[in-house]
mmCIF file of all heavy atoms in Angstrom:
data_model
loop_
_atom_site.group_PDB
_atom_site.id
_atom_site.type_symbol
_atom_site.label_atom_id
_atom_site.label_comp_id
_atom_site.label_asym_id
_atom_site.label_seq_id
_atom_site.Cartn_x
_atom_site.Cartn_y
_atom_site.Cartn_z
ATOM 1 N N LYS A 1 14.138 10.308 0.478
ATOM 2 C CA LYS A 1 15.420 10.969 0.729
ATOM 3 C C LYS A 1 15.922 11.726 -0.504
ATOM 4 O O LYS A 1 17.123 11.937 -0.658
ATOM 5 C CB LYS A 1 16.449 9.940 1.174
ATOM 6 C CG LYS A 1 16.086 9.257 2.495
ATOM 7 C CD LYS A 1 17.157 8.257 2.914
ATOM 8 C CE LYS A 1 16.787 7.577 4.229
ATOM 9 N NZ LYS A 1 17.829 6.601 4.654
ATOM 10 N N ALA A 2 14.993 12.138 -1.357
ATOM 11 C CA ALA A 2 15.396 12.817 -2.588
ATOM 12 C C ALA A 2 16.143 14.107 -2.298
ATOM 13 O O ALA A 2 15.704 14.932 -1.487
ATOM 14 C CB ALA A 2 14.175 13.113 -3.442
ATOM 15 N N ARG A 3 17.266 14.269 -2.961
ATOM 16 C CA ARG A 3 18.048 15.498 -2.899
ATOM 17 C C ARG A 3 18.662 15.718 -4.282
ATOM 18 O O ARG A 3 19.287 14.820 -4.833
ATOM 19 C CB ARG A 3 19.173 15.406 -1.856
ATOM 20 C CG ARG A 3 18.699 15.230 -0.418
ATOM 21 C CD ARG A 3 17.983 16.483 0.111
ATOM 22 N NE ARG A 3 17.604 16.330 1.519
ATOM 23 C CZ ARG A 3 16.484 15.772 1.947
ATOM 24 N NH1 ARG A 3 15.617 15.296 1.045
ATOM 25 N NH2 ARG A 3 16.212 15.654 3.224
ATOM 26 N N ASN A 4 18.476 16.895 -4.835
ATOM 27 C CA ASN A 4 19.045 17.213 -6.136
ATOM 28 C C ASN A 4 18.631 16.187 -7.194
ATOM 29 O O ASN A 4 19.410 15.800 -8.053
ATOM 30 C CB ASN A 4 20.581 17.287 -6.042
ATOM 31 C CG ASN A 4 21.178 18.080 -7.188
ATOM 32 O OD1 ASN A 4 20.647 19.112 -7.584
ATOM 33 N ND2 ASN A 4 22.287 17.600 -7.722
ATOM 34 N N ALA A 5 17.378 15.764 -7.127
ATOM 35 C CA ALA A 5 16.876 14.718 -8.026
ATOM 36 C C ALA A 5 16.171 15.332 -9.227
ATOM 37 O O ALA A 5 15.472 16.343 -9.102
ATOM 38 C CB ALA A 5 15.916 13.802 -7.273
ATOM 39 N N PRO A 6 16.311 14.717 -10.394
ATOM 40 C CA PRO A 6 15.588 15.205 -11.576
ATOM 41 C C PRO A 6 14.124 14.791 -11.524
ATOM 42 O O PRO A 6 13.740 13.852 -10.824
ATOM 43 C CB PRO A 6 16.318 14.534 -12.732
ATOM 44 C CG PRO A 6 16.904 13.292 -12.148
ATOM 45 C CD PRO A 6 17.205 13.592 -10.715
ATOM 46 N N MET A 7 13.309 15.481 -12.305
ATOM 47 C CA MET A 7 11.871 15.224 -12.340
ATOM 48 C C MET A 7 11.471 14.636 -13.686
ATOM 49 O O MET A 7 11.963 15.072 -14.731
ATOM 50 C CB MET A 7 11.101 16.529 -12.090
ATOM 51 C CG MET A 7 11.280 17.082 -10.684
ATOM 52 S SD MET A 7 10.503 18.709 -10.444
ATOM 53 C CE MET A 7 11.754 19.779 -11.191
ATOM 54 N N LEU A 8 10.583 13.656 -13.637
ATOM 55 C CA LEU A 8 10.075 13.027 -14.844
ATOM 56 C C LEU A 8 8.566 13.262 -14.891
ATOM 57 O O LEU A 8 7.808 12.735 -14.078
ATOM 58 C CB LEU A 8 10.391 11.535 -14.832
ATOM 59 C CG LEU A 8 10.437 10.825 -16.190
ATOM 60 C CD1 LEU A 8 11.402 11.512 -17.138
ATOM 61 C CD2 LEU A 8 10.830 9.363 -16.006
ATOM 62 N N LEU A 9 8.130 14.065 -15.865
ATOM 63 C CA LEU A 9 6.758 14.562 -15.962
ATOM 64 C C LEU A 9 5.973 13.813 -17.032
ATOM 65 O O LEU A 9 6.469 13.583 -18.138
ATOM 66 C CB LEU A 9 6.791 16.053 -16.301
ATOM 67 C CG LEU A 9 5.483 16.724 -16.744
ATOM 68 C CD1 LEU A 9 4.464 16.763 -15.607
ATOM 69 C CD2 LEU A 9 5.762 18.143 -17.267
ATOM 70 N N THR A 10 4.748 13.454 -16.693
ATOM 71 C CA THR A 10 3.772 12.971 -17.674
ATOM 72 C C THR A 10 2.512 13.805 -17.538
ATOM 73 O O THR A 10 1.980 13.957 -16.433
ATOM 74 C CB THR A 10 3.424 11.486 -17.456
ATOM 75 O OG1 THR A 10 4.579 10.690 -17.731
ATOM 76 C CG2 THR A 10 2.288 11.049 -18.380
ATOM 77 N N ARG A 11 2.067 14.365 -18.635
ATOM 78 C CA ARG A 11 0.800 15.083 -18.665
ATOM 79 C C ARG A 11 -0.223 14.151 -19.321
ATOM 80 O O ARG A 11 0.076 13.508 -20.324
ATOM 81 C CB ARG A 11 0.932 16.400 -19.434
ATOM 82 C CG ARG A 11 2.058 17.280 -18.903
ATOM 83 C CD ARG A 11 2.074 18.676 -19.524
ATOM 84 N NE ARG A 11 0.853 19.390 -19.177
ATOM 85 C CZ ARG A 11 -0.099 19.721 -20.044
ATOM 86 N NH1 ARG A 11 0.033 19.414 -21.329
ATOM 87 N NH2 ARG A 11 -1.180 20.353 -19.653
ATOM 88 N N THR A 12 -1.426 14.071 -18.759
ATOM 89 C CA THR A 12 -2.334 13.009 -19.179
ATOM 90 C C THR A 12 -3.797 13.414 -19.081
ATOM 91 O O THR A 12 -4.163 14.208 -18.212
ATOM 92 C CB THR A 12 -2.104 11.755 -18.302
ATOM 93 O OG1 THR A 12 -2.956 10.692 -18.736
ATOM 94 C CG2 THR A 12 -2.394 12.051 -16.836
ATOM 95 N N PRO A 13 -4.655 12.850 -19.927
ATOM 96 C CA PRO A 13 -6.103 12.984 -19.750
ATOM 97 C C PRO A 13 -6.701 11.784 -19.012
ATOM 98 O O PRO A 13 -7.909 11.636 -18.956
ATOM 99 C CB PRO A 13 -6.613 13.041 -21.190
ATOM 100 C CG PRO A 13 -5.687 12.116 -21.913
ATOM 101 C CD PRO A 13 -4.334 12.266 -21.249
ATOM 102 N N TYR A 14 -5.834 10.913 -18.432
ATOM 103 C CA TYR A 14 -6.286 9.621 -17.922
ATOM 104 C C TYR A 14 -6.242 9.479 -16.401
ATOM 105 O O TYR A 14 -6.194 8.354 -15.911
ATOM 106 C CB TYR A 14 -5.473 8.500 -18.567
ATOM 107 C CG TYR A 14 -5.597 8.458 -20.067
ATOM 108 C CD1 TYR A 14 -4.476 8.339 -20.882
ATOM 109 C CD2 TYR A 14 -6.843 8.554 -20.686
ATOM 110 C CE1 TYR A 14 -4.590 8.304 -22.262
ATOM 111 C CE2 TYR A 14 -6.962 8.532 -22.065
ATOM 112 C CZ TYR A 14 -5.836 8.409 -22.852
ATOM 113 O OH TYR A 14 -5.947 8.385 -24.219
ATOM 114 N N ASN A 15 -6.250 10.587 -15.666
ATOM 115 C CA ASN A 15 -6.386 10.574 -14.207
ATOM 116 C C ASN A 15 -5.046 10.420 -13.487
ATOM 117 O O ASN A 15 -4.573 9.296 -13.240
ATOM 118 C CB ASN A 15 -7.369 9.496 -13.743
ATOM 119 C CG ASN A 15 -7.833 9.725 -12.309
ATOM 120 O OD1 ASN A 15 -7.205 10.434 -11.530
ATOM 121 N ND2 ASN A 15 -8.952 9.122 -11.954
ATOM 122 N N ALA A 16 -4.483 11.542 -13.108
ATOM 123 C CA ALA A 16 -3.197 11.560 -12.414
ATOM 124 C C ALA A 16 -3.256 10.830 -11.083
ATOM 125 O O ALA A 16 -2.287 10.172 -10.683
ATOM 126 C CB ALA A 16 -2.743 13.010 -12.203
ATOM 127 N N ASP A 17 -4.372 10.936 -10.377
ATOM 128 C CA ASP A 17 -4.491 10.242 -9.091
ATOM 129 C C ASP A 17 -4.390 8.729 -9.275
ATOM 130 O O ASP A 17 -3.678 8.041 -8.537
ATOM 131 C CB ASP A 17 -5.815 10.601 -8.406
ATOM 132 C CG ASP A 17 -5.822 12.015 -7.843
ATOM 133 O OD1 ASP A 17 -4.730 12.534 -7.521
ATOM 134 O OD2 ASP A 17 -6.916 12.597 -7.734
ATOM 135 N N ASP A 18 -5.108 8.197 -10.255
ATOM 136 C CA ASP A 18 -5.058 6.759 -10.507
ATOM 137 C C ASP A 18 -3.675 6.312 -10.957
ATOM 138 O O ASP A 18 -3.190 5.243 -10.567
ATOM 139 C CB ASP A 18 -6.083 6.373 -11.566
ATOM 140 C CG ASP A 18 -7.495 6.278 -11.019
ATOM 141 O OD1 ASP A 18 -7.678 6.497 -9.797
ATOM 142 O OD2 ASP A 18 -8.425 6.022 -11.806
ATOM 143 N N MET A 19 -3.020 7.107 -11.774
ATOM 144 C CA MET A 19 -1.717 6.724 -12.306
ATOM 145 C C MET A 19 -0.626 6.733 -11.253
ATOM 146 O O MET A 19 0.454 6.160 -11.469
ATOM 147 C CB MET A 19 -1.337 7.634 -13.476
ATOM 148 C CG MET A 19 -2.142 7.357 -14.734
ATOM 149 S SD MET A 19 -1.793 8.514 -16.083
ATOM 150 C CE MET A 19 -0.038 8.250 -16.336
ATOM 151 N N THR A 20 -0.884 7.353 -10.120
ATOM 152 C CA THR A 20 0.095 7.364 -9.031
ATOM 153 C C THR A 20 -0.427 6.606 -7.813
ATOM 154 O O THR A 20 0.092 6.772 -6.710
ATOM 155 C CB THR A 20 0.435 8.807 -8.632
ATOM 156 O OG1 THR A 20 -0.785 9.531 -8.366
ATOM 157 C CG2 THR A 20 1.199 9.512 -9.744
ATOM 158 N N SER A 21 -1.433 5.765 -8.022
ATOM 159 C CA SER A 21 -2.024 4.986 -6.918
ATOM 160 C C SER A 21 -2.428 3.605 -7.411
ATOM 161 O O SER A 21 -3.543 3.145 -7.176
ATOM 162 C CB SER A 21 -3.242 5.717 -6.343
ATOM 163 O OG SER A 21 -2.924 7.024 -5.936
ATOM 164 N N HIS A 22 -1.515 2.927 -8.102
ATOM 165 C CA HIS A 22 -1.846 1.613 -8.644
ATOM 166 C C HIS A 22 -1.927 0.538 -7.567
ATOM 167 O O HIS A 22 -2.438 -0.556 -7.824
ATOM 168 C CB HIS A 22 -0.826 1.214 -9.711
ATOM 169 C CG HIS A 22 -0.996 1.956 -10.999
ATOM 170 N ND1 HIS A 22 -2.066 1.760 -11.841
ATOM 171 C CD2 HIS A 22 -0.240 2.921 -11.586
ATOM 172 C CE1 HIS A 22 -1.953 2.549 -12.908
ATOM 173 N NE2 HIS A 22 -0.859 3.264 -12.770
ATOM 174 N N ALA A 23 -1.417 0.832 -6.379
ATOM 175 C CA ALA A 23 -1.484 -0.117 -5.268
ATOM 176 C C ALA A 23 -1.473 0.664 -3.963
ATOM 177 O O ALA A 23 -0.978 1.795 -3.904
ATOM 178 C CB ALA A 23 -0.302 -1.093 -5.314
ATOM 179 N N GLU A 24 -2.048 0.072 -2.923
ATOM 180 C CA GLU A 24 -1.933 0.636 -1.580
ATOM 181 C C GLU A 24 -0.659 0.062 -0.985
ATOM 182 O O GLU A 24 -0.626 -1.070 -0.513
ATOM 183 C CB GLU A 24 -3.159 0.267 -0.740
ATOM 184 C CG GLU A 24 -4.468 0.828 -1.267
ATOM 185 C CD GLU A 24 -4.490 2.353 -1.282
ATOM 186 O OE1 GLU A 24 -3.794 2.969 -0.442
ATOM 187 O OE2 GLU A 24 -5.185 2.925 -2.131
ATOM 188 N N SER A 25 0.404 0.827 -1.022
ATOM 189 C CA SER A 25 1.704 0.276 -0.666
ATOM 190 C C SER A 25 2.615 1.352 -0.083
ATOM 191 O O SER A 25 2.456 2.544 -0.377
ATOM 192 C CB SER A 25 2.368 -0.338 -1.904
ATOM 193 O OG SER A 25 3.678 -0.788 -1.626
ATOM 194 N N ALA A 26 3.558 0.901 0.704
ATOM 195 C CA ALA A 26 4.578 1.793 1.249
ATOM 196 C C ALA A 26 5.741 1.957 0.289
ATOM 197 O O ALA A 26 6.679 2.714 0.576
ATOM 198 C CB ALA A 26 5.092 1.249 2.589
ATOM 199 N N GLN A 27 5.697 1.252 -0.862
ATOM 200 C CA GLN A 27 6.797 1.293 -1.815
ATOM 201 C C GLN A 27 6.421 2.113 -3.045
ATOM 202 O O GLN A 27 5.367 1.902 -3.653
ATOM 203 C CB GLN A 27 7.175 -0.123 -2.246
ATOM 204 C CG GLN A 27 7.733 -0.972 -1.106
ATOM 205 C CD GLN A 27 8.166 -2.345 -1.585
ATOM 206 O OE1 GLN A 27 7.614 -2.874 -2.551
ATOM 207 N NE2 GLN A 27 9.146 -2.912 -0.904
ATOM 208 N N MET A 28 7.300 3.004 -3.426
ATOM 209 C CA MET A 28 7.071 3.881 -4.567
ATOM 210 C C MET A 28 6.905 3.080 -5.856
ATOM 211 O O MET A 28 6.034 3.379 -6.685
ATOM 212 C CB MET A 28 8.228 4.866 -4.697
ATOM 213 C CG MET A 28 8.075 5.898 -5.800
ATOM 214 S SD MET A 28 9.383 7.146 -5.694
ATOM 215 C CE MET A 28 9.070 8.098 -7.186
ATOM 216 N N GLU A 29 7.698 2.049 -6.043
ATOM 217 C CA GLU A 29 7.610 1.273 -7.280
ATOM 218 C C GLU A 29 6.262 0.589 -7.412
ATOM 219 O O GLU A 29 5.730 0.441 -8.511
ATOM 220 C CB GLU A 29 8.732 0.239 -7.344
ATOM 221 C CG GLU A 29 8.789 -0.489 -8.674
ATOM 222 C CD GLU A 29 10.064 -1.281 -8.875
ATOM 223 O OE1 GLU A 29 10.957 -1.227 -8.003
ATOM 224 O OE2 GLU A 29 10.179 -1.949 -9.921
ATOM 225 N N SER A 30 5.668 0.192 -6.288
ATOM 226 C CA SER A 30 4.374 -0.489 -6.323
ATOM 227 C C SER A 30 3.251 0.456 -6.716
ATOM 228 O O SER A 30 2.374 0.099 -7.508
ATOM 229 C CB SER A 30 4.072 -1.130 -4.970
ATOM 230 O OG SER A 30 4.987 -2.166 -4.683
ATOM 231 N N ILE A 31 3.249 1.672 -6.190
ATOM 232 C CA ILE A 31 2.148 2.593 -6.502
ATOM 233 C C ILE A 31 2.231 3.097 -7.935
ATOM 234 O O ILE A 31 1.245 3.563 -8.496
ATOM 235 C CB ILE A 31 2.095 3.779 -5.517
ATOM 236 C CG1 ILE A 31 3.291 4.714 -5.694
ATOM 237 C CG2 ILE A 31 1.987 3.296 -4.085
ATOM 238 C CD1 ILE A 31 3.145 6.026 -4.957
ATOM 239 N N LEU A 32 3.430 2.991 -8.556
ATOM 240 C CA LEU A 32 3.602 3.443 -9.935
ATOM 241 C C LEU A 32 3.551 2.289 -10.932
ATOM 242 O O LEU A 32 3.685 2.505 -12.139
ATOM 243 C CB LEU A 32 4.941 4.174 -10.086
ATOM 244 C CG LEU A 32 5.124 5.451 -9.249
ATOM 245 C CD1 LEU A 32 6.510 6.040 -9.494
ATOM 246 C CD2 LEU A 32 4.044 6.475 -9.572
ATOM 247 N N GLN A 33 3.328 1.066 -10.454
ATOM 248 C CA GLN A 33 3.392 -0.109 -11.310
ATOM 249 C C GLN A 33 2.097 -0.259 -12.097
ATOM 250 O O GLN A 33 1.188 -0.982 -11.712
ATOM 251 C CB GLN A 33 3.638 -1.362 -10.471
ATOM 252 C CG GLN A 33 4.103 -2.565 -11.269
ATOM 253 C CD GLN A 33 5.513 -2.403 -11.800
ATOM 254 O OE1 GLN A 33 6.397 -1.988 -11.085
ATOM 255 N NE2 GLN A 33 5.720 -2.714 -13.063
ATOM 256 N N GLY A 34 2.005 0.449 -13.223
ATOM 257 C CA GLY A 34 0.792 0.401 -14.015
ATOM 258 C C GLY A 34 0.913 1.273 -15.242
ATOM 259 O O GLY A 34 2.016 1.629 -15.675
ATOM 260 N N TYR A 35 -0.225 1.657 -15.793
ATOM 261 C CA TYR A 35 -0.284 2.348 -17.074
ATOM 262 C C TYR A 35 0.641 3.558 -17.144
ATOM 263 O O TYR A 35 0.640 4.432 -16.276
ATOM 264 C CB TYR A 35 -1.723 2.804 -17.361
ATOM 265 C CG TYR A 35 -1.823 3.662 -18.602
ATOM 266 C CD1 TYR A 35 -1.760 3.085 -19.865
ATOM 267 C CD2 TYR A 35 -1.925 5.047 -18.507
ATOM 268 C CE1 TYR A 35 -1.811 3.857 -21.008
ATOM 269 C CE2 TYR A 35 -1.982 5.833 -19.651
ATOM 270 C CZ TYR A 35 -1.924 5.234 -20.891
ATOM 271 O OH TYR A 35 -1.968 6.014 -22.023
ATOM 272 N N ASP A 36 1.443 3.595 -18.213
ATOM 273 C CA ASP A 36 2.285 4.732 -18.583
ATOM 274 C C ASP A 36 3.238 5.166 -17.483
ATOM 275 O O ASP A 36 3.553 6.346 -17.340
ATOM 276 C CB ASP A 36 1.424 5.922 -19.035
ATOM 277 C CG ASP A 36 2.122 6.722 -20.129
ATOM 278 O OD1 ASP A 36 3.124 6.233 -20.667
ATOM 279 O OD2 ASP A 36 1.660 7.826 -20.441
ATOM 280 N N ASN A 37 3.703 4.226 -16.695
ATOM 281 C CA ASN A 37 4.736 4.481 -15.699
ATOM 282 C C ASN A 37 5.860 3.478 -15.918
ATOM 283 O O ASN A 37 5.637 2.280 -15.803
ATOM 284 C CB ASN A 37 4.188 4.300 -14.277
ATOM 285 C CG ASN A 37 3.549 5.547 -13.721
ATOM 286 O OD1 ASN A 37 4.124 6.627 -13.773
ATOM 287 N ND2 ASN A 37 2.350 5.408 -13.194
ATOM 288 N N GLU A 38 7.032 3.961 -16.240
ATOM 289 C CA GLU A 38 8.198 3.074 -16.311
ATOM 290 C C GLU A 38 8.743 2.979 -14.887
ATOM 291 O O GLU A 38 9.796 3.527 -14.550
ATOM 292 C CB GLU A 38 9.237 3.630 -17.283
ATOM 293 C CG GLU A 38 8.676 4.122 -18.606
ATOM 294 C CD GLU A 38 7.843 3.070 -19.326
ATOM 295 O OE1 GLU A 38 8.259 1.901 -19.392
ATOM 296 O OE2 GLU A 38 6.755 3.411 -19.817
ATOM 297 N N ALA A 39 7.993 2.268 -14.029
ATOM 298 C CA ALA A 39 8.225 2.319 -12.587
ATOM 299 C C ALA A 39 9.628 1.870 -12.203
ATOM 300 O O ALA A 39 10.261 2.459 -11.319
ATOM 301 C CB ALA A 39 7.186 1.466 -11.870
ATOM 302 N N ASP A 40 10.119 0.809 -12.841
ATOM 303 C CA ASP A 40 11.443 0.312 -12.478
ATOM 304 C C ASP A 40 12.527 1.347 -12.754
ATOM 305 O O ASP A 40 13.448 1.536 -11.944
ATOM 306 C CB ASP A 40 11.745 -0.997 -13.204
ATOM 307 C CG ASP A 40 11.473 -0.944 -14.701
ATOM 308 O OD1 ASP A 40 10.916 0.067 -15.189
ATOM 309 O OD2 ASP A 40 11.799 -1.924 -15.408
ATOM 310 N N ILE A 41 12.415 2.041 -13.870
ATOM 311 C CA ILE A 41 13.413 3.041 -14.233
ATOM 312 C C ILE A 41 13.297 4.274 -13.328
ATOM 313 O O ILE A 41 14.302 4.842 -12.898
ATOM 314 C CB ILE A 41 13.253 3.441 -15.711
ATOM 315 C CG1 ILE A 41 13.433 2.222 -16.607
ATOM 316 C CG2 ILE A 41 14.216 4.559 -16.081
ATOM 317 C CD1 ILE A 41 14.729 1.467 -16.390
ATOM 318 N N ILE A 42 12.081 4.677 -13.024
ATOM 319 C CA ILE A 42 11.873 5.842 -12.160
ATOM 320 C C ILE A 42 12.476 5.612 -10.794
ATOM 321 O O ILE A 42 13.203 6.469 -10.250
ATOM 322 C CB ILE A 42 10.369 6.156 -12.046
ATOM 323 C CG1 ILE A 42 9.814 6.638 -13.390
ATOM 324 C CG2 ILE A 42 10.103 7.200 -10.961
ATOM 325 C CD1 ILE A 42 8.304 6.716 -13.445
ATOM 326 N N VAL A 43 12.202 4.460 -10.203
ATOM 327 C CA VAL A 43 12.659 4.193 -8.841
ATOM 328 C C VAL A 43 14.163 3.934 -8.805
ATOM 329 O O VAL A 43 14.885 4.506 -7.979
ATOM 330 C CB VAL A 43 11.879 3.012 -8.237
ATOM 331 C CG1 VAL A 43 12.457 2.613 -6.888
ATOM 332 C CG2 VAL A 43 10.404 3.382 -8.089
ATOM 333 N N LYS A 44 14.656 3.093 -9.702
ATOM 334 C CA LYS A 44 16.091 2.812 -9.711
ATOM 335 C C LYS A 44 16.906 4.059 -10.016
ATOM 336 O O LYS A 44 18.028 4.219 -9.530
ATOM 337 C CB LYS A 44 16.396 1.722 -10.738
ATOM 338 C CG LYS A 44 15.869 0.348 -10.355
ATOM 339 C CD LYS A 44 16.125 -0.653 -11.475
ATOM 340 C CE LYS A 44 15.527 -2.011 -11.148
ATOM 341 N NZ LYS A 44 15.699 -2.980 -12.263
ATOM 342 N N GLY A 45 16.333 4.929 -10.819
ATOM 343 C CA GLY A 45 17.054 6.142 -11.185
ATOM 344 C C GLY A 45 16.926 7.264 -10.179
ATOM 345 O O GLY A 45 17.553 8.316 -10.343
ATOM 346 N N GLY A 46 16.118 7.074 -9.147
ATOM 347 C CA GLY A 46 15.959 8.110 -8.133
ATOM 348 C C GLY A 46 15.212 9.336 -8.625
ATOM 349 O O GLY A 46 15.428 10.444 -8.123
ATOM 350 N N TYR A 47 14.289 9.131 -9.564
ATOM 351 C CA TYR A 47 13.571 10.258 -10.146
ATOM 352 C C TYR A 47 12.382 10.694 -9.290
ATOM 353 O O TYR A 47 11.749 9.880 -8.616
ATOM 354 C CB TYR A 47 13.068 9.904 -11.550
ATOM 355 C CG TYR A 47 14.170 9.901 -12.584
ATOM 356 C CD1 TYR A 47 14.879 8.739 -12.864
ATOM 357 C CD2 TYR A 47 14.511 11.064 -13.251
ATOM 358 C CE1 TYR A 47 15.903 8.736 -13.794
ATOM 359 C CE2 TYR A 47 15.528 11.078 -14.189
ATOM 360 C CZ TYR A 47 16.225 9.909 -14.448
ATOM 361 O OH TYR A 47 17.246 9.921 -15.372
#
């Protein structure tokens, strides 16, 4: 339901697909729960 949300960018040599697929889950915080993702802050902040 993002509307007027800010973007938080990470540029990486370590595989963007893997960094956004840490789990097979319907929850955004779960798929970001891993290397170089401040998942709790991203999700709570609506980023």
Side-chain angles (χ1 to χ4, degrees):
K1 297 181 180 180
R3 297 292 183 274
N4 201 41
M7 293 174 280
L8 203 55
L9 167 67
T10 293
R11 306 188 63 248
T12 182
Y14 300 133
N15 197 340
D17 287 334
D18 281 359
M19 287 175 60
T20 52
S21 305
H22 286 291
E24 297 298 332
S25 175
Q27 295 183 331
M28 184 172 174
E29 187 167 357
S30 295
I31 69 168
L32 298 179
Q33 196 70 46
Y35 174 76
D36 214 12
N37 273 311
E38 314 306 316
D40 49 353
I41 300 306
I42 293 169
V43 173
K44 291 176 184 177
Y47 285 91

